[in-house]
Amino acid sequence: MMALWNNLPGGLQDTVFVLALLVPAVALCAGLWRGFAPGPLIRALLWRYRWTNLGYVILIAISIGLSIAIVMAERGLREGSATAADKFDLIVTAPGNETTMMLATVYLRPTAMPLLSGDVYNDIASAENVAMAAPLSFGDSVNGMPIVGTIADFVSHLGDGQIQGRMWQDEAEAVAGALSGLHIGDEVAPAHGIGDDADNDAHGDFHIEIVGKLPPTGSPWDRAVIVPIESVWHTHGLASGHPPDRANQIGPPFDPAYFPGTPAIVVRADALFANYALRSAFSQSEQTMAFFPGTVLARLHSILGDIRRVMSWLTIVTQCLVGMSVLLGLFILSRLFSRQISLLRTLGAPSRFVVCVVWSYNLTLVAAGTVLGILVAWAATAGIAYRVSNLMGFTITTRFESMDFAFIAAFLSGVTICALLPILVSLNATPVQNLND
Amino acid sequence: MSLALEVTDLSVRTARHKALLEVGNLKIDAGAAVGIRGPSGAGKSTLLSALAGLTDRTSGTIRWGDTDILSLSRAGRSDFRASTIGFVFQDHRLFEELSPLQNASLSLMYAPKSERRPVLARAGALLSTFGVPSDHATVAPMSGGERQRIAVARALTQDPQIILADEPTANLDRVTAQTLGNDLLGSVRNAGKTLVLVSHDDALLARMDTILTLEHGRLL
């Protein structure tokens, strides 16, 4: 049996698990409805208390929605930050704090970083198994978006070779990120610095023309304007990276004598295994530090994971409170039609029929609130994702996972079974008393 | 089809053991129409509830035919009421959002499948006999008299052997009350059912075979 289960595809296992969680509620429903036709009466009760019901459904939806949204947003944040670092196999910087360096390089957070020399760059670029060594330079901006200087190979790597338009051919051309709002043919003037301190006039009348656009990468680079690194050096009055007889050259090789320095180099090995040897090789020098952004992120995520565990417990506790509130609400709602319950009992309706009517009424409200809660969760997560994406620069995914549905199914099943409690309490009341209330 | 009633040493008490109703002996013949009158708070409604097996803290015997309703379980009493007793309340106690026919045939929702069609047919026929328009989607816009006639139809739909009516004309004007009395008594007498009716309406009580008076929870 276990072998059969283990051989099932993961998606099917998840579906079976979710359905299994719903079995108690479905079985209870089937057992209560067997031989009865209470539909019109349930509809009548739902319609009679429609505004109360609506308010109750909305409360359930918000409670469930926000509980799920927190989990979804945290997951989206984790996955989004990991996706953003996907294209950065190995980063070499001057020694320092890996997290700070990663935030500056991958997430384009403005940070003052020491520079690596041209000799260091050349050593790295010419090392065995290095397929690409992309120097980066930061510091300027356009409309609040960072301008990043690098080489064409890295831009192609970022865009998986799918650049709309073309690659730059001189230092006055740029490739814009997918979410930069810039279009091919636009001309922009770089400002020195970024944010409130940016100086719009520092670079005179130097203009950059957008000649290409990257496809969405889900990273902060989607909101960047990427230029030849020579362009950044040039606008800051530095050497071009090339000797005077090749002053107009764009891209490597660079001459160490004319290399103004780079705060970070993104390295891509020609084979996966080589990354580890390169990291080791570039970490042995006192001048450099090499790290995998994925490893740094994993460390950060493990800290987040601890917070996540706490959040998971908080979510469970919150959900229990929601469940108890729902039950309390059901007690109150059941009191609303105690007269109808008493009437049915007086007319001789079997107890199972009375339970069936009230339970189905409750189930309808809880199920409607749960379904609406899924929409609330999606909307809330989308809202959080939008805000955080704008703040952090990388895309946060909004999607449900099977565990979300398992959580919803467990909640629905648990509450609907517990919903029998207020009904059984109502059944114990003397019908005569409720009829005369 | 009707059942005789024999009540012996019936006592209904409150949770604090205060006597609400004490009836030493009461016999009603099968098919008889019995009226019960008495001042407010005398225990008339309690007596009707007790006769239907709806009261707690009740002792003695209430024998309908061969069945002592007090000896039955809760489920047994429900079954007995569903098959044997029709109830008419002071106010109609209809479901506002259901149609006249759905209200009159309420029992089909929990009746065995095989009985649903006859129940529906009987409910329709009773509404037609009582002149209740059945084309309304709900009973909400209907008059008090029409609603009470639907309630009477609901009580008769299962063709019960006993009808218990608690002040069925109390909320109606004289003309409507008389019409309802005609409908109720006509149906009951034609089918030979046993009727126990609580009322303050002297005109309606005058049409009963027997009138009993209840005061301070005791039959005079």
Side-chain angles (χ1 to χ4, degrees):
Chain A
M1 196 67 181
M2 277 308 289
L4 178 68
W5 173 257
N6 291 334
N7 285 333
L8 291 177
L12 187 59
Q13 280 186 352
D14 292 342
T15 307
V16 170
F17 181 59
V18 170
L19 292 177
L21 285 169
L22 287 171
V23 163
V26 173
L28 186 59
C29 186
L32 287 174
W33 275 65
R34 187 173 46 82
F36 295 147
L41 191 53
I42 295 164
R43 282 195 296 276
L45 288 171
L46 286 168
W47 184 248
R48 168 173 288 196
Y49 303 112
R50 53 193 173 280
W51 300 116
T52 308
N53 293 340
L54 182 65
Y56 188 63
V57 165
I58 289 172
L59 281 178
I60 295 175
I62 292 172
S63 307
I64 291 178
L66 292 184
S67 296
I68 299 170
I70 291 169
V71 176
M72 282 176 69
E74 185 274 336
R75 186 171 59 225
L77 186 70
R78 211 160 17 90
E79 291 177 354
S81 58
T83 303
D86 263 356
K87 297 286 183 182
F88 297 79
D89 297 355
L90 181 66
I91 295 173
V92 182
T93 64
N97 182 293
E98 289 181 352
T99 305
T100 307
M101 301 301 187
M102 182 191 69
L103 287 174
T105 312
V106 178
Y107 301 101
L108 302 179
R109 311 303 292 177
T111 310
M113 295 167 73
L115 300 178
L116 300 173
S117 69
D119 288 326
V120 170
Y121 172 78
N122 270 5
D123 286 348
I124 292 170
S126 58
E128 193 180 358
N129 293 323
V130 170
M132 180 193 75
L136 305 179
S137 65
F138 315 101
D140 289 345
S141 64
V142 169
N143 303 332
M145 295 178 292
I147 291 177
V148 186
T150 187
I151 60 173
D153 279 355
F154 184 57
V155 179
S156 296
H157 173 60
L158 273 181
D160 287 323
Q162 305 291 314
I163 296 171
Q164 184 192 344
R166 64 173 173 82
M167 182 55 67
W168 59 63
Q169 285 170 353
D170 63 53
E171 63 180 39
E173 293 182 339
V175 172
L179 304 178
S180 63
L182 298 172
H183 303 96
I184 293 172
D186 285 354
E187 280 207 1
V188 292
H192 182 68
I194 191 163
D196 294 338
D197 298 330
D199 180 354
N200 290 318
D201 304 319
H203 299 311
D205 57 357
F206 181 72
H207 278 72
I208 301 167
E209 183 189 354
I210 308 299
V211 295
K213 234 180 148 175
L214 276 174
T217 63
S219 76
W221 289 66
D222 286 344
R223 289 182 173 83
V225 177
I226 311 168
V227 297
I229 195 166
E230 292 87 346
S231 174
V232 178
W233 288 332
H234 176 87
T235 52
H236 290 84
L238 302 170
S240 69
H242 308 288
D245 60 323
R246 291 192 284 121
N248 293 328
Q249 181 184 327
I250 298 293
F254 296 103
D255 186 329
Y258 298 95
F259 192 91
T262 178
I265 301 166
V266 180
V267 175
R268 188 160 172 254
D270 52 15
L272 189 63
F273 72 91
N275 278 315
Y276 293 93
L278 291 173
R279 183 185 63 166
S280 176
F282 301 149
S283 295
Q284 284 168 2
S285 155
E286 285 184 1
Q287 292 176 291
T288 58
M289 169 183 82
F291 61 91
F292 297 128
T295 308
V296 179
L297 263 182
R299 230 166 21 234
L300 283 176
H301 288 165
S302 77
I303 297 169
L304 275 177
D306 293 339
I307 298 169
R308 189 179 175 220
R309 268 191 291 280
V310 173
M311 276 171 56
S312 296
W313 278 107
L314 283 176
T315 304
I316 290 170
V317 171
T318 307
Q319 219 44 45
C320 287
L321 289 174
V322 169
M324 286 166 67
S325 307
V326 168
L327 277 182
L328 192 63
L330 293 180
F331 265 106
I332 295 166
L333 284 174
S334 297
R335 287 291 300 165
L336 265 182
F337 44 80
S338 56
R339 283 185 70 178
Q340 283 82 353
I341 292 174
S342 298
L343 173 65
L344 289 171
R345 290 179 57 197
T346 303
L347 295 178
S351 294
R352 183 166 65 87
F353 177 77
V354 178
V355 172
C356 173
V357 170
V358 185
W359 183 83
S360 301
Y361 174 96
N362 292 344
L363 173 70
T364 307
L365 297 186
V366 174
T370 305
V371 171
L372 197 60
I374 294 172
L375 297 179
V376 169
W378 186 87
T381 311
I384 294 169
Y386 178 76
R387 293 283 299 166
V388 175
S389 293
N390 277 339
L391 199 69
M392 304 290 289
F394 55 85
T395 305
I396 292 181
T397 50
T398 306
R399 66 183 169 79
F400 287 95
E401 280 194 352
S402 56
M403 280 314 292
D404 299 323
F405 290 111
F407 172 78
I408 292 164
F411 174 81
L412 194 58
S413 228
V415 169
T416 49
I417 289 169
C418 292
L420 284 173
L421 193 63
I423 305 164
L424 296 176
V425 170
S426 295
L427 270 183
N428 263 334
T430 309
V432 175
Q433 182 191 335
N434 288 328
L435 270 173
N436 294 332
D437 277 347
Chain B
M1 286 286 289
S2 59
L3 288 177
L5 169 69
E6 185 173 352
V7 175
T8 312
D9 297 329
L10 173 64
S11 170
V12 181
R13 295 182 174 273
T14 65
R16 293 185 175 184
H17 306 294
K18 182 190 164 196
L20 284 173
L21 183 72
E22 288 190 329
V23 177
N25 193 30
L26 170 64
K27 285 186 179 175
I28 295 175
D29 292 335
V34 176
I36 299 174
R37 67 179 170 198
S40 295
K44 304 185 293 297
S45 295
T46 305
L47 175 59
L48 276 194
S49 298
L51 296 182
L54 287 167
T55 50
D56 291 333
R57 293 172 292 278
T58 305
S59 59
T61 58
I62 300 171
R63 196 175 295 281
W64 287 106
D66 295 328
T67 306
D68 177 7
I69 196 168
L70 294 183
S71 68
L72 299 176
S73 64
R74 172 180 275 191
R77 291 185 198 186
S78 274
D79 288 345
F80 185 81
R81 281 195 296 275
S83 62
T84 317
I85 299 176
F87 242 103
V88 182
F89 303 95
Q90 182 173 337
D91 60 349
H92 45 81
R93 300 287 158 83
L94 300 178
F95 287 95
E96 294 283 318
E97 293 75 16
L98 295 182
S99 70
L101 187 60
Q102 284 174 320
N103 267 295
S105 60
L106 194 67
S107 59
L108 72 74
M109 292 185 195
Y110 48 85
K113 219 169 189 173
S114 59
E115 291 180 19
R116 287 179 194 165
R117 197 180 289 270
V119 166
L120 196 63
R122 206 176 304 129
L126 283 163
L127 289 177
S128 176
T129 303
F130 295 161
V132 176
S134 56
D135 56 345
H136 287 85
T138 71
V139 298
M142 302 181 85
S143 70
E146 286 173 327
R147 289 176 187 217
Q148 197 63 318
R149 271 177 279 167
I150 296 169
V152 172
R154 180 179 64 191
L156 294 167
T157 295
Q158 282 286 77
D159 196 21
Q161 298 167 59
I162 306 153
I163 296 291
L164 302 178
D166 190 359
E167 310 233 28
T169 59
N171 294 336
L172 305 178
D173 62 64
R174 176 139 299 279
V175 175
T176 310
Q178 190 168 1
T179 309
L180 186 92
N182 293 340
D183 289 340
L184 178 60
L185 282 169
S187 302
V188 167
R189 288 195 193 281
N190 284 343
K193 298 179 189 302
T194 305
L195 170 68
V196 181
L197 180 144
V198 166
S199 184
H200 286 104
D201 183 345
D202 288 337
L204 183 59
L205 286 172
R207 298 166 72 181
M208 301 289 124
D209 299 330
T210 312
I211 300 173
L212 303 172
T213 303
L214 198 62
E215 269 185 28
H216 305 300
R218 293 169 187 272
L219 284 172
L220 300 181

